[in-house]
Amino acid sequence: MTDAPASHSWRSVREEVLRRIAHEDWRPGDAIPNEADLAAELGCARATVNRALRSLSDDGLLERRRKGGTRIARHPVGKATVRIPIIRMEIEERGALYGYRLLDRRMERAPDALRPRFGPPGEGDLLHVIAVHLADGRPYALENRWIVPETVPDALDQSFEDLAANEWLVRHLPLTRAQSEFFAINATDRETAALGAAAGEALIVHRRMTWLAERPITLVEMTFAKGHTLRT
Amino acid sequence: MTDAPASHSWRSVREEVLRRIAHEDWRPGDAIPNEADLAAELGCARATVNRALRSLSDDGLLERRRKGGTRIARHPVGKATVRIPIIRMEIEERGALYGYRLLDRRMERAPDALRPRFGPPGEGDLLHVIAVHLADGRPYALENRWIVPETVPDALDQSFEDLAANEWLVRHLPLTRAQSEFFAINATDRETAALGAAAGEALIVHRRMTWLAERPITLVEMTFAKGHTLRT
């Protein structure tokens, strides 16, 4: 292996690949250039590229095939066990008509209770999106989402007025880790307004955080309307 | 393959193996007799025994090794992905002192809303066990469980006064399928009494059903005390 300068260490090549994924230069399913071409483009040794791609492949982010070269993985989480559900499809699979309404979209800091979960990027403003998903015109779930612009800069170009952040993220970005929490809340003003819940009604919340390599992508709280059951 | 009489079809041999597992003649991890010995004992062809064991192995209930023969699987669900948590261990892992209190144990029919889930065994009386798990003396979870005696006859000999049905079942019986549901309830009198919840407080419920081959083992609702978060 050549002793590449710091700017061309395998870690910097890895960072460059992650940057291209985050910017959607390379999207899930895309073939990426071969090692020799990448090495030439980045001006580093082929062994350095190889080391970087191996590391990303170990994370499940790249699929390396003997023939057909290397591709960005479509569903890299846990090597294809966990998939993030798209709420629209969940509703349509129940035979209901899907509806969607954006309630709010702004840059702001995450609340104190959640901020530490994002690590250093949580110290800056995050993209905060609130929307409601409807089934046959009735509220189905309230999506309260924080997106990390450092990891997903392209999210800043999305209005999320017609396409939910839930669906946009699943379709545009691979992920390497997901963590889920389930808990119950008594409906407050926000849930009575957005979900048509009675004050104090017990609602189930699915809080999920996802990562691309070690970078936080998003934290979302999906609060479901009264009587909803989550199944595994 | 010999044309064995109906009482010695491979299905009846399969049933006999399941019966021995249910009666704990053979427990998870135990080696079972070899095919020749089983065939001699049951008075049927060795090929019939082989067919039955293959079927149980396909279900993940038996582990067949080239050396060391055939054993009852320890954690056959989904071939070792899902494990049923033991609440006592969960509490102790949090560094808290575990406590347990049996509230009720009786034979009765399952309520209408749940009965169909058990299939034909649900038409008879089931063993209904209600208990509370404590962490540092404070209510942690309310266990409301229905056990199917046809599948787990030995449960009838258990008082569940000192050992929770949760732990007894995990330790004594393998299972081949588990299904989970999560939902929220407003605390009723039962939860205020058993969990110290305020009336109407939102609580999360984990409802889980398990099967041994196609036979229902148990359905349990674990209702957790206020503010509990379930993680995956």
Side-chain angles (χ1 to χ4, degrees), chain B residues 18-211:
Chain B
L18 287 172
R19 197 192 62 75
R20 291 184 184 189
I21 292 172
H23 281 265
E24 293 181 71
D25 298 333
W26 294 344
R27 293 179 44 181
D30 281 359
I32 69 169
N34 67 38
E35 288 180 4
D37 288 351
L38 265 179
E41 187 198 333
L42 301 172
C44 67
R46 181 166 166 176
T48 308
V49 172
N50 179 273
R51 177 74 185 82
L53 298 190
R54 204 155 18 98
S55 141
L56 290 162
S57 171
D58 288 348
D59 284 347
L61 259 180
L62 295 181
E63 288 167 1
R64 313 186 79 183
R65 297 172 196 163
R66 217 163 292 176
K67 288 179 185 177
T70 298
R71 288 175 185 276
I72 307 298
R74 280 183 199 277
H75 295 288
V77 170
K79 309 222 166 173
T81 51
V82 182
R83 289 198 183 185
I84 305 298
I86 294 176
I87 297 280
R88 176 183 62 75
M89 293 173 70
E90 221 176 88
I91 288 171
E92 288 174 353
E93 273 160 24
R94 291 171 175 229
L97 183 72
Y98 176 69
Y100 169 81
R101 204 164 56 232
L102 179 69
L103 301 182
D104 198 16
R105 180 196 181 284
R106 66 177 72 195
M107 293 296 296
E108 62 186 351
R109 284 186 94 196
D112 291 352
L114 297 178
R115 201 177 306 142
R117 297 181 179 227
F118 296 99
E123 293 311 310
D125 281 355
L126 304 180
L127 180 56
H128 187 196
V129 179
I130 303 177
V132 64
H133 300 263
L134 308 154
D136 284 337
R138 285 209 300 266
Y140 177 89
L142 177 63
E143 177 176 347
N144 181 22
R145 181 183 294 275
W146 301 85
I147 301 173
V148 180
E150 271 185 55
T151 313
V152 202
D154 283 8
L156 300 177
D157 303 330
Q158 298 294 319
S159 71
F160 298 123
E161 271 170 14
D162 302 307
L163 181 65
N166 161 242
E167 182 158 359
W168 184 81
L169 283 164
V170 170
R171 294 204 182 282
H172 287 71
L173 210 70
L175 54 115
T176 50
R177 187 156 71 98
Q179 198 176 55
S180 277
E181 296 176 357
F182 303 93
F183 54 95
I185 60 165
N186 288 107
T188 64
D189 287 352
R190 181 166 70 180
E191 290 81 26
T192 57
L195 291 174
E201 205 158 57
L203 304 175
I204 189 160
V205 183
H206 180 183
R207 181 191 283 155
R208 181 174 54 223
M209 186 149 181
T210 55
W211 289 263

Side-chain angles (χ1 to χ4, degrees), chain A residues 179-186 200-204 228-232, chain B residues 179-186 200-204 228-232:
Chain A
Q179 198 176 56
S180 277
E181 297 176 357
F182 303 92
F183 54 95
I185 60 164
N186 287 108
E201 205 158 58
L203 303 175
I204 189 160
H228 189 84
T229 297
L230 293 166
R231 291 188 168 78
T232 63
Chain B
Q179 198 176 55
S180 277
E181 296 176 357
F182 303 93
F183 54 95
I185 60 165
N186 288 107
E201 205 158 57
L203 304 175
I204 189 160
H228 190 83
T229 297
L230 293 166
R231 292 188 167 79
T232 64

Side-chain angles (χ1 to χ4, degrees), chain A residues 67-124:
Chain A
K67 289 181 185 176
T70 298
R71 290 174 184 276
I72 308 296
R74 280 183 199 278
H75 295 287
V77 170
K79 311 222 165 171
T81 50
V82 180
R83 289 198 183 185
I84 306 298
I86 294 176
I87 297 279
R88 176 182 62 74
M89 293 174 70
E90 220 175 87
I91 288 171
E92 288 174 354
E93 273 161 23
R94 292 172 175 230
L97 183 71
Y98 177 68
Y100 170 79
R101 205 164 56 232
L102 179 69
L103 300 182
D104 197 18
R105 180 196 182 286
R106 68 178 70 195
M107 293 296 295
E108 62 185 353
R109 283 186 95 196
D112 291 351
L114 297 178
R115 200 177 306 141
R117 297 182 180 227
F118 296 99
E123 293 311 310

